[in-house]
């Protein structure tokens, strides 16, 4: 992402628009990445309930993917999954 | 504009004059906690509030940390917020002092200079505000009660200027100024009201039509840029404040500058000092001038932004300079005023010989004979063309 210089940004880090956290890619902080075994997943959506970062993407009642741009890799989804179908896999060597 | 001769003169202490200026400014919020020797500001202002002569929401907080926090909240909400403190009170509000400046909130605070503990002491030195010199606040040091009154009014205008937006500390010497009665020329309420105008914040937390977030997380990617903006605000302050001086003079008749030279133009030796000691020094300058000695004084009224150009210009033709510091930095290289003045002169081709005197810590008296001794020492320095001791202690027992 091309970052702006000090002359172009609001003073003091003041944020003047709502929902701008979406533009902040916190996924870069991640060390472990959640990987789902699609065959075992029953779409109970406990992971969706527990995810502290709204990073479980759901469509029509079914888990479709993780939002890797924002998932920080905390592993809560993996921990609460009753089928143990989410594995935390180290991303970088 | 009404001439100064038509002004009402009131007998006021420094603290009463600060409260009087605040009454005329009539800020939206005052959040303060009493501490000697600032107490009378809070006490007098609380009376104004109780008597209904101001519209201020006064928050009687439980500590200085809360006082500055309440000012930060109020200012971010779009209010004109003011407070006052001293010494350990300033120390207790420390983290929020930085937050006020970094959030670019134009809070105005009177600092009644008092020595920091320990051992506990309630009398004047500059250790409290000098510790906060790198916090991003504008710092003004007042020589007398009249200056406290006038500069506090001016501080509001400086702080809120859209090209500046920085908080301002207006410092006065504890007891020496804060509790000394002076005849103070008071401006008319309407004049002050018109001069400071209405505070129109660019952003307000209470403006629900244009919601903003103050103080979000700011990491490696943007924090540096926001600090750079703060430096720019200080640079802007150097350009904007002289325009405010002119505006102030037009309305009220008093002439101001970042520094004030006293018989400095043809001086061979000079003292650089802040605050009430400048008054004492002027008496000595007059006395020595009568004896034909070419002595002068450079009073620094602003310490932030640091008036480098004015200092260099004022001291260009002086042979030897003594910088008086009413606080220690414990660097073993002298006090904060000395190190910065010395650094300002580094690039000057014909820089004067320079020496430092630490004095008056914990309210130790400084009298005319001590200042005369400093000028005597400067005379010898010029004769020998050499500074024997860079850092001296004036008035301490060996």
């Amino acid at each position: 992402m091309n970052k702006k210089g000090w002359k172009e940004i609001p003073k003091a880090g003041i944020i003047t628009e709502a929902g701008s956290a979406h533009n902040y890619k916190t996924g870069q902080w991640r060390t472990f990445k959640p990987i789902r075994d699609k065959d075992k997943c029953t779409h109970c959506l406990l992971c969706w309930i527990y995810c502290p970062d709204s990073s479980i993407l759901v469509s029509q009642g079914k888990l479709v993917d993780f939002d890797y741009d924002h998932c920080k890799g905390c592993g809560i989804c993996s921990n609460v999954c009753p089928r143990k179908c989410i594995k935390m896999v180290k991303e970088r060597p | 504009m009404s001439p100064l001769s038509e002004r009402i003169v009131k007998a006021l202490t420094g603290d009463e004059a600060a409260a009087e200026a605040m009454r005329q400014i009539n800020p939206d919020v005052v959040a303060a906690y009493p501490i000697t020797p600032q107490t009378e500001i809070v006490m007098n202002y609380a009376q104004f509030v109780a008597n209904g002569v101001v519209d201020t929401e006064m928050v009687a907080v439980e500590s200085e940390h809360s006082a500055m926090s309440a000012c930060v909240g109020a200012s971010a909400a779009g209010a004109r917020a003011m407070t006052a403190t001293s010494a350990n009170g300033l120390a207790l509000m420390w983290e929020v002092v930085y937050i006020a400046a970094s959030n670019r909130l134009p809070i105005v605070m009177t600092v009644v200079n008092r020595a920091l503990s320990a051992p506990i002491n309630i009398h004047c030195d500059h250790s409290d505000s000098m510790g906060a010199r790198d916090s991003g606040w504008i710092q003004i040091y007042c020589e007398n009660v009249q200056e406290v009154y006038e500069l506090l009014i001016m501080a509001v205008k400086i702080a809120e200027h859209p090209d500046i937006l920085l908080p301002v500390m207006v410092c006065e010497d504890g007891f020496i100024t804060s509790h000394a009665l002076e005849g103070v020329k008071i401006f008319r309420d309407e004049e002050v009201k018109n001069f400071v105008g209405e505070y129109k914040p660019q952003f307000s937390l209470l403006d629900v039509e244009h919601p903003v977030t103050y103080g979000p997380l700011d990491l490696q990617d943007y924090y540096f840029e926001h600090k750079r903006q703060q430096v720019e605000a200080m640079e802007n302050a150097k350009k904007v404040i002289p325009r405010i001086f002119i505006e102030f003079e037009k309305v009220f008749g008093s002439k101001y500058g970042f520094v004030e030279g006293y018989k400095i133009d043809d001086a061979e030796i000079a003292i650089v000092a802040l605050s009430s000691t400048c008054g004492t020094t002027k008496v000595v300058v007059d006395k020595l001038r009568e004896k034909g000695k070419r002595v002068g004084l450079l009073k620094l009224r602003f310490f932030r932004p640091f008036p480098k150009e004015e200092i260099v210009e004022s001291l260009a033709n002086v042979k030897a300079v003594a910088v008086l510091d009413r606080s220690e930095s414990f660097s073993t290289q002298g006090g904060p005023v000395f190190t910065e003045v010395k650094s300002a002169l580094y690039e000057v081709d014909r820089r004067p010989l320079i020496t430092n005197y630490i004095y008056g810590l914990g309210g130790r008296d400084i009298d005319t004979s001590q200042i005369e001794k400093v000028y005597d020492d400067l005379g010898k320095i010029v004769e020998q063309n050499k500074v024997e001791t860079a850092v001296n202690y004036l008035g301490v027992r060996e």
Side-chain angles (χ1 to χ4, degrees):
Chain A
M1 196 165 72
N2 227 350
K3 296 188 190 78
K4 290 179 176 173
W6 64 268
K7 292 174 189 169
E8 304 166 293
I9 55 175
K11 291 183 185 81
I14 291 168
I15 295 172
T16 54
E17 55 176 314
S20 64
H22 189 75
N23 302 327
Y24 198 58
K25 308 289 188 223
T26 49
Q28 292 167 356
W29 302 3
R30 194 172 54 231
T31 307
F32 294 95
K33 178 181 184 173
I35 301 288
R36 179 177 59 125
D37 182 339
K38 290 181 179 129
D39 295 335
K40 278 167 80 180
C41 174
T42 62
H43 303 278
C44 70
L45 302 186
L46 264 183
C47 54
W48 176 78
I49 292 168
Y50 277 93
C51 176
D53 235 322
S54 308
S55 289
I56 308 291
L57 302 177
V58 172
S59 176
Q60 295 178 333
K62 288 190 187 289
L63 195 170
V64 290
D65 204 353
F66 299 98
D67 173 4
Y68 288 117
D69 278 346
H70 298 96
C71 166
K72 301 189 186 82
C74 71
I76 289 174
C77 56
S78 170
N79 197 272
V80 299
C81 177
R83 299 272 292 163
K84 299 291 165 210
C85 68
I86 301 174
K87 295 271 172 288
M88 299 304 291
V89 180
K90 194 161 186 182
E91 257 187 309
R92 297 182 191 92
Chain B
M1 177 186 157
S2 60
L4 280 177
S5 56
E6 285 177 24
R7 302 279 182 215
I8 296 168
V9 177
K10 285 188 186 174
L12 297 175
T13 64
D15 279 354
E16 286 167 351
E20 178 69 2
M22 287 168 72
R23 180 189 67 72
Q24 294 182 312
I25 293 161
N26 194 5
D28 302 305
V29 173
V30 168
Y33 189 83
I35 180 169
T36 302
Q38 157 267 33
T39 308
E40 282 70 13
I41 298 177
V42 184
M43 187 184 81
N44 282 290
Y45 204 76
Q47 282 177 0
F48 292 143
V49 173
N51 293 342
V53 298
V54 287
D55 310 307
T56 306
E57 178 77 29
M58 183 145 187
V59 192
V61 287
E62 77 281 15
S63 78
E64 287 84 358
H65 189 278
S66 305
M68 188 49 69
S69 297
C71 285
V72 163
S75 187
R80 179 176 277 157
M82 297 182 79
T83 186
T85 195
S86 288
N88 298 34
L90 180 58
L92 184 55
M93 55 169 78
W94 209 254
E95 67 162 327
V96 201
V97 166
Y98 277 74
I99 290 167
S102 304
N103 276 332
R104 308 294 298 279
L105 300 170
I107 297 161
V108 174
M109 168 162 68
T110 309
V111 175
V112 185
N113 285 121
R114 162 185 152 178
L116 281 169
S117 294
I120 193 164
N121 180 298
I122 57 167
H123 291 282
C124 176
D125 73 32
H126 297 162
S127 53
D128 50 2
S129 59
M130 277 300 158
R133 69 188 185 272
D134 296 342
S135 64
W137 283 58
I138 287 173
Q139 286 195 332
I140 307 175
Y141 288 83
C142 304
E143 180 186 330
N144 52 38
V145 179
Q146 187 72 43
E147 282 198 357
V148 173
Y149 171 71
E150 296 187 1
L151 287 165
L152 199 50
I153 292 167
M154 209 188 304
V156 173
K157 192 104 172 166
I158 293 170
E160 292 172 3
H161 193 285
D163 293 340
I164 302 177
L165 284 178
L166 290 173
V168 180
M169 276 179 210
V170 178
C171 305
E172 58 167 312
D173 281 349
F175 290 107
I176 302 164
T177 308
S178 71
H179 286 60
L181 267 182
E182 245 180 61
V184 185
K185 295 186 191 83
I186 301 294
F187 310 139
R188 288 198 304 273
D189 288 1
E190 279 301 305
E191 288 175 311
V192 177
K193 191 181 170 185
N194 291 338
F195 179 78
V196 297
E198 194 188 331
Y199 174 44
K200 294 188 184 103
Q202 191 187 357
F203 303 112
S204 159
L205 290 178
L206 295 180
D207 181 0
V208 290
E209 298 297 320
H210 307 94
V212 291
T213 303
Y214 265 91
L217 186 70
D218 198 19
L219 301 179
Q220 301 97 320
D221 48 0
Y222 279 106
Y223 180 90
F224 200 171
E225 278 69 28
H226 293 127
K227 292 297 123 183
R228 179 64 187 82
Q229 289 177 335
Q230 283 178 254
V231 181
E232 194 67 9
M234 277 291 178
E235 290 285 358
N236 289 346
K238 285 194 206 171
K239 294 178 201 123
V240 173
I241 292 170
R243 300 209 296 265
I244 296 175
F245 290 150
I246 292 168
E247 200 182 334
F248 191 89
E249 191 186 353
K250 274 185 191 158
V251 179
F252 302 114
S254 313
K255 200 175 173 62
Y256 278 97
F258 285 116
V259 302
E260 180 196 323
Y262 188 73
K263 304 190 178 173
I264 191 85
D265 291 344
D266 66 337
E268 197 168 71
I269 52 176
I271 281 177
V272 175
L274 310 177
S275 301
S276 67
T277 305
C278 294
T280 320
T281 306
K282 284 172 184 173
V283 172
V284 178
V285 168
D286 288 346
K287 188 180 162 189
L288 296 178
R289 282 272 172 180
E290 273 176 27
K291 292 181 186 170
K293 293 188 179 166
R294 281 162 60 191
V295 299
L297 161 73
L298 183 67
K299 172 169 99 179
L300 306 190
R301 195 177 271 123
F302 281 71
F303 195 63
R304 290 288 181 271
F306 188 74
K308 180 191 169 179
E309 292 77 11
E310 288 80 359
I311 291 169
V312 167
E313 197 189 319
S314 304
L315 301 177
N317 298 314
V318 172
K319 287 183 181 162
V321 177
V323 179
L324 306 192
D325 264 291
R326 201 161 196 153
S327 64
E328 239 309 347
S329 69
F330 303 107
S331 68
T332 73
Q333 301 304 307
V337 186
F338 174 64
T339 48
E340 296 206 15
V341 170
K342 192 175 164 186
S343 156
L345 294 167
Y346 185 78
E347 289 117 10
V348 180
D349 292 336
R350 284 175 47 220
R351 55 181 180 262
L353 293 159
I354 192 161
T355 182
N356 187 208
Y357 290 82
I358 309 279
Y359 76 99
L361 302 191
R364 176 70 49 87
D365 264 342
I366 173 124
D367 58 27
T368 52
S369 66
Q370 287 171 313
I371 292 168
E372 229 177 302
K373 184 198 173 295
V374 172
Y375 281 119
D376 282 350
D377 291 354
L378 284 175
K380 282 173 205 150
I381 285 170
V382 172
E383 256 172 48
Q384 296 166 1
N385 197 26
K386 195 168 106 186
V387 174
E388 293 280 353
T389 324
V391 186
N392 307 273
Y393 293 86
L394 192 62
V396 76
R397 292 182 300 276
E398 294 296 329

